[in-house]
Amino acid sequence: MNRRKFIKNASLTGAGLAVGSTLIHCAEATSKNEENTAVVDTKNNLPLVIATWHVENATTKAMEVLEAGGNALDAVEQGCMVEEANEKGQSVGKGGLPDRDGNVTLDACIMDKNGNCGAVVYLKDITHAVSVARKVMEDTPHVMLAGEGAKQFAISKGFEPEDLLTEASKKAWEEWKVKSEYKPIINIENHDTIGMLAIDNNGDISGACTTSGLAYKLAGRVGDSPIIGSGLFVDNEVGGCVATGLGEEVVKTVGSFLVVELMRQGKTPQEACEEAISRIVKKPNSNYKAFQVGYIAVNKKGETGSFSIHQWFSMTKFQNGVNEQIQSDYFNKA
Ligand code: SD4
């Protein structure tokens, strides 16, 4: 099932917003978090990469990095860069759909095994937002840079500015303008934010998330993807989680942090993702039929899980030489 079909199925109202056991060696972690980190034989199951949606090229790149002995941080950055450079993907990097004023603005973040993190929001004219986020993490005392400051920082680090609005995205925007007359209708066919988590040969976890956000959003809008704890969270003692879908709903429930904390308390990645979706759909007056949210997660043992509100969300998983798309289970079976 492709993403387009998924989105179609997930969109249940015309005006709605929809968006789109591996065992590892973890002796280090047992001292701090014994209940979640049983020491098991792992050698055959490392390394491991998972990512939101159907992004086999991205997971292939990340796995190449890991198999060459690279660390999880390099793997998630380089994996995400594949989708950022892919102009056909209209919700990430170059070719991303613009806001309603025609600006392509990117949000991204990255988090390493030590709990360090960096993020950029409302970044214009720079394709590899995830790499700028990494520079923020590594070369500044800050966690997040926004807008013009983020762009100038990127340029100072050698990133080349370029126009991110491709002909295809410009055309889609122009068509949207005619039909929508600036009503709050989101083009639901173009949401495939990439969130990626990797465990390297040392058993260390890192994660990254990068997006152009909701198409035709209000100028200045920032979603969950660059917000540590919402779009992404990694705790190397426990595991990691990334989110996709309607960012506002993820932010309101601090979704990725919630999933990791639930895993810390003993839930499997699958159970934790299900509970985090449940927090959204069980809210009083939840409008969940009109939007999608999906989570993927991995724990320190290399077990993975994914869950979404609606059908057709998927995770790409590369492990033990198999790079596969796994359909996610989902809440709304009515
Ligand atoms: C956002 N969560 O900006 C992102 C969009 C997304 O698949 O994930 N699309 O709200």
Side-chain angles (χ1 to χ4, degrees):
M1 181 60 59
N2 63 26
R3 191 174 72 246
R4 185 170 295 262
K5 187 98 181 265
F6 155 78
I7 294 295
K8 240 182 162 175
N9 280 281
S11 169
L12 303 178
T13 69
L17 301 175
V19 271
S21 153
T22 303
L23 305 175
I24 64 161
H25 185 65
C26 50
E28 268 181 29
T30 48
S31 56
K32 291 187 178 164
N33 194 23
E34 287 185 6
E35 66 275 26
N36 286 312
T37 53
V39 178
V40 286
D41 177 20
T42 71
K43 285 291 175 200
N44 294 329
N45 296 302
L46 286 180
L48 155 68
V49 181
I50 57 172
T52 53
W53 301 105
H54 190 193
V55 288
E56 280 169 13
N57 292 341
T59 49
T60 296
K61 180 69 204 176
M63 186 53 78
E64 273 170 26
V65 172
L66 295 171
E67 284 179 342
N71 63 35
L73 188 66
D74 291 332
V76 294
E77 180 191 3
Q78 291 186 42
C80 286
M81 286 171 71
V82 170
E83 288 304 312
E84 288 178 334
N86 174 12
E87 291 182 24
K88 289 191 183 144
Q90 287 187 302
S91 62
V92 181
K94 186 157 184 169
L97 288 167
D99 65 21
R100 52 189 66 184
D101 296 335
N103 305 300
V104 180
T105 65
L106 307 184
D107 296 337
C109 70
I110 194 161
M111 192 161 190
D112 76 7
K113 63 176 180 174
N114 296 318
N116 298 312
C117 50
V120 286
V121 305
Y122 198 74
L123 176 68
K124 288 185 191 167
D125 301 330
I126 306 287
T127 297
H128 292 300
V130 71
S131 302
V132 184
R134 183 169 177 175
K135 289 281 181 208
V136 172
M137 175 175 83
E138 292 180 339
D139 295 358
T140 81
H142 308 306
V143 161
M144 185 181 282
L145 293 180
E148 187 58 24
K151 179 177 165 181
Q152 290 310 323
F153 170 75
I155 291 169
S156 79
K157 292 291 170 184
F159 291 83
E160 288 284 333
E162 58 180 327
D163 189 358
L164 302 183
L165 188 64
T166 55
E167 277 308 311
S169 289
K170 192 173 174 198
K171 190 163 171 271
W173 170 57
E174 278 163 355
E175 283 169 10
W176 176 83
K177 276 200 296 185
V178 172
K179 286 184 198 154
S180 74
E181 296 166 343
Y182 275 54
K183 284 179 187 157
I185 297 172
I186 303 300
N187 182 339
I188 56 170
E189 290 194 350
N190 293 287
H191 296 279
D192 59 341
T193 295
I194 178 166
M196 183 178 279
L197 298 160
I199 308 184
D200 59 30
N201 283 305
N202 290 326
D204 289 322
I205 309 169
S206 293
C209 191
T210 180
T211 187
S212 54
L214 298 182
Y216 320 130
K217 59 198 174 186
L218 282 176
R221 182 265 187 188
V222 170
D224 61 313
S225 303
I227 299 179
I228 296 296
S230 291
L232 164 72
F233 196 70
V234 171
D235 183 328
N236 200 39
E237 293 178 9
V238 177
C241 176
V242 284
T244 184
L246 184 62
E248 281 75 2
E249 297 298 324
V250 177
V251 170
K252 286 175 197 168
T253 48
V254 199
S256 291
F257 182 73
L258 174 61
V259 169
V260 173
E261 285 306 296
L262 289 167
M263 292 194 290
R264 187 194 303 281
Q265 290 162 23
K267 289 206 187 304
T268 64
Q270 185 60 36
E271 291 166 345
C273 290
E274 290 179 19
E275 171 68 23
I277 290 293
S278 162
R279 298 280 176 101
I280 295 172
V281 299
K282 299 229 163 109
K283 276 180 174 174
N285 304 318
S286 174
N287 192 27
Y288 72 85
K289 291 196 173 176
F291 61 82
Q292 172 71 309
V293 171
Y295 291 109
I296 65 169
V298 64
N299 68 11
K300 191 71 180 169
K301 292 186 278 188
E303 296 165 338
T304 61
S306 67
F307 200 68
S308 55
I309 298 176
H310 301 287
Q311 199 173 10
W312 307 126
F313 174 54
S314 64
M315 163 172 81
T316 306
K317 177 171 173 173
F318 201 153
Q319 183 181 37
N320 292 332
V322 180
N323 193 15
E324 59 181 342
Q325 187 186 11
I326 298 170
Q327 288 299 328
S328 170
D329 195 8
Y330 57 97
F331 172 80
N332 185 22
K333 294 193 170 137

